[in-house]
């Protein structure tokens, strides 16, 4: 059990790493080609450094994503609590934007590929990054929050479909049982008529076999093998009368 939980945890971590690596690679490549077109002293060998620089910055969202998912499940936007929920998410998104700028200032700025970036004063870098990426951070927060609500909606929908399927199965079983209860007395009536005819004709072995095979259908528990066929036929008749009176 613990091994299964550990493997599931590592799988989720790998999914988060792979997901947030995509914007890091894309933004790093975009900045690399932008600087080359603008005439900066950027050589092709610097492309991996651009990518690593952006990966370090975007990896901020790896530990933050579970927190946003949990907050999305805890804070409801249902009618009656909508405005308080919106206020909480606005404050949380603003804090995430602030922390995102601080993360990049502390960890991404020192490994920037250009001297004009990593030699910049941390205070000015933080202010400039926050001004340029504030809306991006808000949008990122909203994407994660939307994914949280989407997952909850999908999970609830699957549970409703499963519950509806179980109810349909129970309804079908109930209808089948009702049909059996309607057919059972008629089957017993025809069978007992046949046994009665055998008794009148004196077919003792055939009566015994018919009564023995009819016991499970009529709901009679097996008794001693010495029970006379006429007694079995009488018990089957009594059982049929009880069932017929109930229906």
């Amino acid at each position: 059990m613990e091994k299964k939980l550990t493997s599931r945890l590592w799988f989720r971590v790998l999914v988060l790493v792979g997901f947030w690596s995509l914007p890091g690679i894309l933004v790093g490549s975009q900045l690399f080609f932008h600087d080359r077109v603008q005439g900066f002293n950027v050589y092709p060998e610097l492309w991996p450094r651009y990518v690593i620089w952006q990966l370090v910055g975007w990896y901020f969202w790896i530990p933050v994503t579970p927190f946003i998912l949990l907050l999305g499940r805890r804070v409801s936007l249902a009618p009656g609590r909508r405005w308080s929920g919106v206020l909480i998410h606005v404050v949380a998104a603003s804090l995430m934007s602030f922390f995102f700028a601080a993360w990049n200032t502390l960890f991404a700025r020192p490994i920037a590929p250009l001297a004009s970036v990593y030699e910049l004063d941390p205070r000015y870098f933080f202010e400039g990054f926050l001004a340029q990426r504030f809306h991006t951070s808000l949008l990122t927060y909203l994407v994660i929050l939307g994914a949280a609500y989407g997952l909850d909606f999908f999970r609830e929908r699957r549970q409703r479909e499963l519950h509806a399927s179980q109810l349909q199965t129970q309804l079908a079983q109930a209808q089948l049982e009702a049909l059996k209860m309607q057919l059972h007395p008629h089957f017993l009536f025809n069978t007992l008529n046949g046994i009665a005819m055998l008794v009148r004709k004196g077919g003792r072995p055939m009566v015994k076999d018919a009564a023995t095979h009819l016991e499970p259908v009529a709901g009679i528990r097996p008794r001693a093998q010495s029970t006379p066929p006429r007694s079995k036929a009488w018990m089957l008749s009594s059982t049929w009368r009880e069932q017929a009176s109930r229906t």
Side-chain angles (χ1 to χ4, degrees):
M1 187 65 179
E2 295 181 357
K3 185 177 180 180
K4 185 177 181 180
L5 293 176
T6 303
S7 60
R8 183 179 301 178
L9 177 62
W10 278 110
F11 174 75
R12 293 180 179 179
V13 171
L14 292 176
V15 169
L16 288 176
V17 172
F19 180 82
W20 291 113
S21 295
L22 183 60
I25 296 173
L26 293 177
V27 175
S29 301
Q30 179 186 5
L31 292 175
F32 170 76
F33 289 111
H34 174 270
D35 291 346
R36 282 184 62 86
V37 171
Q38 293 297 321
F40 291 100
N41 191 18
V42 176
Y43 299 99
E45 293 79 8
L46 288 178
W47 176 78
R49 189 170 176 179
Y50 272 86
V51 173
I52 294 174
W53 171 38
Q54 290 301 310
L55 284 176
V56 172
W58 283 96
Y59 280 169
F60 162 81
W61 297 102
I62 293 178
V64 172
T65 299
F67 171 76
I68 299 176
L69 294 176
L70 179 62
L71 187 64
R73 293 174 181 173
R74 295 291 180 86
V75 179
S76 175
L77 296 179
R81 302 179 56 185
R82 180 171 299 170
W83 292 112
S84 61
V86 170
L87 179 61
I88 292 174
H89 286 303
V90 168
V91 174
S94 301
L95 290 176
M96 292 304 163
S97 301
F98 178 85
F99 292 140
F100 185 48
W103 173 280
N104 278 271
T105 302
L106 293 175
F107 300 104
R109 181 189 59 83
I111 62 173
L114 297 180
S116 59
V117 177
Y118 64 76
E119 291 180 356
L120 191 65
D121 183 75
R123 178 182 175 182
Y124 292 112
F125 180 89
F126 173 81
E127 294 175 353
F129 190 94
L130 185 62
Q132 294 180 0
R133 299 289 186 91
F134 184 80
H135 63 285
T136 305
S137 301
L138 291 179
L139 181 61
T140 304
Y141 182 93
L142 291 177
V143 169
I144 301 174
L145 185 63
Y149 286 125
L151 290 174
D152 288 342
F153 175 78
F154 178 73
R155 187 181 296 108
E156 292 177 359
R157 182 177 178 181
R158 288 189 59 185
Q159 291 178 352
R160 289 196 298 267
E161 291 178 352
L162 179 61
H163 184 64
S165 177
Q166 292 176 349
L167 289 179
Q168 290 179 355
T169 303
Q170 294 176 0
L171 178 61
Q173 291 178 351
Q175 292 175 345
L176 181 61
E177 291 297 329
L179 182 61
K180 287 182 178 179
M181 293 299 296
Q182 293 176 0
L183 295 177
H184 204 59
H186 302 286
F187 171 77
L188 288 176
F189 178 79
N190 295 331
T191 306
L192 290 173
N193 278 339
I195 294 177
M197 293 177 61
L198 292 175
V199 171
R200 286 195 296 269
K201 292 180 179 180
R204 184 183 181 90
M206 298 178 65
V207 172
K208 181 178 180 180
D209 294 337
T212 302
H213 286 87
L214 192 59
E215 284 178 355
V217 180
I220 301 176
R221 295 181 180 180
R223 296 188 179 182
Q225 296 295 330
S226 59
T227 304
R230 295 180 181 271
S231 299
K232 288 187 176 182
W234 179 83
M235 288 190 304
L236 291 171
S237 301
S238 301
T239 304
W240 173 79
R241 293 191 187 95
E242 292 179 2
Q243 294 182 354
S245 62
R246 293 175 184 176
T247 57

